Amino acid sequence: MSDLPLSDLPFYLGAFILVLGVLVVVHEFGHFVAARLCGVKILRFCAGFGPIIWSRRYGPDQTEWSLSLLPLGGYVRMLDEREGEVSAHELHRAYNRQSVGRRSIIVVAGPLANFLLAILIYWGLFWHGSEELRPVLGPPVAESPAARAGIANGDRVLRVDGEAVQTWQDFQWLLLHKATQQNSVELELQPLGGGRVFRHLALGSLAEQGWEKDAFASLGLRFYRPAILPVVGGIQAGSPGAAARLQAGDIFVAIDQKPIATWDEVVEAIRQSPGQAMMFDMLRGANRFQVKITPQVIEEQGLRIGRIGVSVAEASLEGQPEIKGFVRYGCLDAALRAVRETWDKSVFSLVMFGKMLTGEASWKNLSGPVTIADYAGQSARLGLDYYLKFMALVSISLGILNLLPIPVLDGGHLMYHALEVIKGGPLSERVMAWGQQIGLTLLFTLMAFAFFNDLSRLLGPLLNG
């Protein structure tokens, strides 16, 4: 969980409600469209649960379009003899009078709408293009699988088991997907000096830890960390650095008596010391000197950080690999990639859920509304591309969740329909009520696990601190 300031809470909550609202409306609209195509009369389309705060009637059937107080779900109410009296002339439009095939189409249309939304989002993003991080690896964690594989800082991933990789996100998802099926992968890498090398990365540690921790952290993989020399380039007028009379070409040697080797170390030390006096050891030509500087306090995404108003010399950046690039695909290629992206993430979600059921993966991987709201806010802060990708991922998860064979969910209704075909007739009201109770129990158990995990992530750092 991110360290969320209270001032950012409305933003994060708004980002979460927007994602949930859009996905629920899309899901229910899938049911609505399928029902209309199958000739079923729609009585009400409602976004949200609880007291209705707005409603209007439209169309020849005078369907009620409404908005409820709690934006945590929605429903489509169809004409049904089990829920009220139906006029003789409208019996053919009642949901319960439809064939098993038609009822199944109406049920599956909700999750299908979520998958189609994800495909549409990915297609638009791939076709429009976006600035992406290249798959450039950083120095591996000591004694980790990545270190034992011989991965070095600056290695760029070209292929994973022969499959081409263009972005850091592609690499992450492909590696996770491979890890659910095999114990190792072959990485084709391009080192900083050029050429090609092949490394075999063991993935067994993920299963051993129950997939509980961050997968890349478990493997010892990190993003590239440039070894940029700590040489001053520009100095902002009126900044603490200018007041201390720093000059272009000055080299940072130590901060508060701690030796400095890279520009990243300088930036990190200053960021963590807003408003605190710091002693800098500098080198100017052959002369070494000390200067005391107090970083000014800057607000960045709700956090207080320090800055002294100096930038790195351009010469220090030479020889560094390109870590960002604009990635764009043609219309058809983008569509194919969007379908594959949705399919891969759907399969991965099902595989991980299966591993949780069999005990291979920890139930701590299950996330609830608090974690989802946190990620919604974080992705919205990063930009529209990240927010839309997050929405697509949650849409896929919602589609998968609803297809689980749990009564009260769409998958449970499909299970009833399959049993009806096997039995040769509708299930009894008693069996349906019994299944409803089991379904609610299972659903509330999943929700309890998810909410408990949310609280653990939220309160864990506080309790351990």
Side-chain angles (χ1 to χ4, degrees):
M1 297 286 291
S2 62
D3 188 8
L4 176 63
L6 289 179
S7 60
D8 282 352
L9 186 59
F11 178 83
Y12 278 54
L13 188 60
F16 170 65
I17 291 175
L18 179 59
V19 164
L20 192 62
V22 169
L23 299 187
V24 166
V25 168
V26 167
H27 180 92
E28 297 303 332
F29 194 68
H31 291 311
F32 173 85
V33 171
R36 288 293 299 270
L37 292 175
C38 290
V40 176
K41 183 177 180 178
I42 308 296
L43 302 179
R44 175 186 290 168
F45 183 103
C46 184
F49 284 122
I52 293 177
I53 58 177
W54 177 88
S55 69
R56 291 287 186 277
R57 293 185 181 273
Y58 298 101
D61 290 333
Q62 285 295 285
T63 300
E64 180 186 359
W65 295 80
S66 58
L67 183 66
S68 290
L69 183 63
L70 303 175
L72 298 176
Y75 60 92
V76 174
R77 184 182 173 193
M78 292 171 266
L79 190 67
D80 196 314
E81 291 179 281
R82 296 168 298 183
E83 297 183 5
E85 188 176 346
V86 178
S87 301
H89 71 281
E90 288 191 317
L91 283 175
H92 69 286
R93 301 191 66 192
Y95 174 77
N96 64 294
R97 291 290 183 115
Q98 307 303 311
S99 66
V100 174
R102 287 194 172 190
R103 279 182 279 137
S104 297
I105 290 172
I106 294 171
V107 168
V108 80
L112 181 61
N114 286 123
F115 295 132
L116 289 176
L117 175 64
I119 291 172
L120 183 62
I121 291 174
Y122 285 132
W123 173 72
L125 291 173
F126 291 150
W127 191 17
H128 176 269
S130 60
E131 193 79 16
E132 298 281 356
L133 289 174
R134 300 293 190 190
V136 184
L137 299 172
V141 177
E143 304 300 323
S144 67
R148 289 191 288 272
I151 290 172
N153 188 39
D155 285 350
R156 176 173 175 173
V157 182
L158 301 177
R159 297 179 184 277
V160 177
D161 280 348
E163 295 187 47
V165 174
Q166 292 200 50
T167 70
W168 180 254
Q169 188 179 52
D170 287 346
F171 176 54
Q172 288 180 309
W173 273 107
L174 186 55
L175 203 60
L176 285 174
H177 181 68
K178 295 285 185 181
T180 62
Q181 305 170 338
Q182 55 200 64
N183 294 322
S184 66
V185 292
E186 182 183 68
L187 303 180
E188 182 180 344
L189 308 174
Q190 182 181 49
L192 274 176
R196 296 285 190 278
V197 295
F198 294 87
R199 302 285 186 249
H200 289 274
L201 178 64
L203 305 175
S205 60
L206 296 181
E208 292 172 6
Q209 297 177 7
W211 297 79
E212 183 179 337
K213 299 179 181 179
D214 176 72
F216 267 39
S218 300
L219 296 173
L221 293 169
R222 295 188 288 197
F223 189 69
Y224 175 64
R225 296 186 179 184
I228 302 173
L229 296 176
V231 182
V232 176
I235 300 133
Q236 184 180 354
S239 67
R245 299 180 182 276
L246 294 182
Q247 298 179 11
D250 288 347
I251 301 174
F252 289 92
V253 178
I255 299 178
D256 290 333
Q257 299 183 342
K258 179 182 177 181
I260 293 297
T262 68
W263 182 261
D264 276 353
E265 294 177 89
V266 175
V267 173
E268 189 62 26
I270 294 172
R271 283 176 61 90
Q272 293 181 1
S273 305
Q276 302 176 24
M278 306 175 70
M279 185 61 71
F280 293 83
D281 284 67
M282 310 295 298
L283 189 64
R284 181 177 297 166
N287 300 319
R288 181 164 176 162
F289 62 97
Q290 288 187 326
V291 59
K292 183 180 289 187
I293 305 176
T294 300
Q296 63 185 119
V297 181
I298 300 293
E299 287 281 337
E300 184 181 90
Q301 297 184 2
L303 300 177
R304 298 171 73 253
I305 64 170
R307 282 186 184 167
I308 65 171
V310 299
S311 60
V312 66
E314 291 186 7
S316 300
L317 299 173
E318 295 178 0
Q320 303 298 329
E322 184 182 2
I323 62 173
K324 282 188 177 183
F326 191 80
V327 180
R328 184 180 184 276
Y329 301 93
C331 182
L332 180 59
D333 194 21
L336 294 175
R337 287 185 64 88
V339 172
R340 180 182 175 182
E341 188 88 0
T342 303
W343 172 261
D344 287 345
K345 286 180 170 58
S346 299
V347 171
F348 180 77
S349 298
L350 282 173
V351 169
M352 288 304 299
F353 191 76
K355 287 182 179 294
M356 284 192 284
L357 289 177
T358 58
E360 294 180 60
S362 170
W363 282 91
K364 292 182 179 181
N365 290 291
L366 199 62
S367 297
V370 178
T371 301
I372 296 172
D374 182 48
Y375 289 154
Q378 290 186 53
S379 61
R381 287 285 191 202
L382 292 172
L384 182 60
D385 285 1
Y386 290 92
Y387 188 59
L388 289 175
K389 288 176 183 178
F390 172 78
M391 182 181 290
L393 184 59
V394 178
S395 190
I396 292 170
S397 299
L398 184 61
I400 292 295
L401 175 65
N402 272 281
L403 285 177
L404 295 179
I406 299 175
V408 311
L409 296 179
D410 293 330
H413 290 294
L414 292 175
M415 180 178 65
Y416 286 153
H417 295 167
L419 293 174
E420 184 177 335
V421 171
I422 296 172
K423 180 175 177 291
L427 301 179
S428 68
E429 292 292 333
R430 182 180 178 184
V431 171
M432 297 280 283
W434 183 64
Q436 193 91 347
Q437 292 177 356
I438 294 176
L440 287 172
T441 301
L442 290 172
L443 194 58
F444 283 132
T445 301
L446 284 175
M447 291 173 62
F449 266 112
F451 191 65
F452 175 78
N453 290 340
D454 281 352
L455 291 178
S456 298
R457 296 184 186 108
L458 184 65
L459 301 178
L462 297 177
L463 296 176
N464 294 332

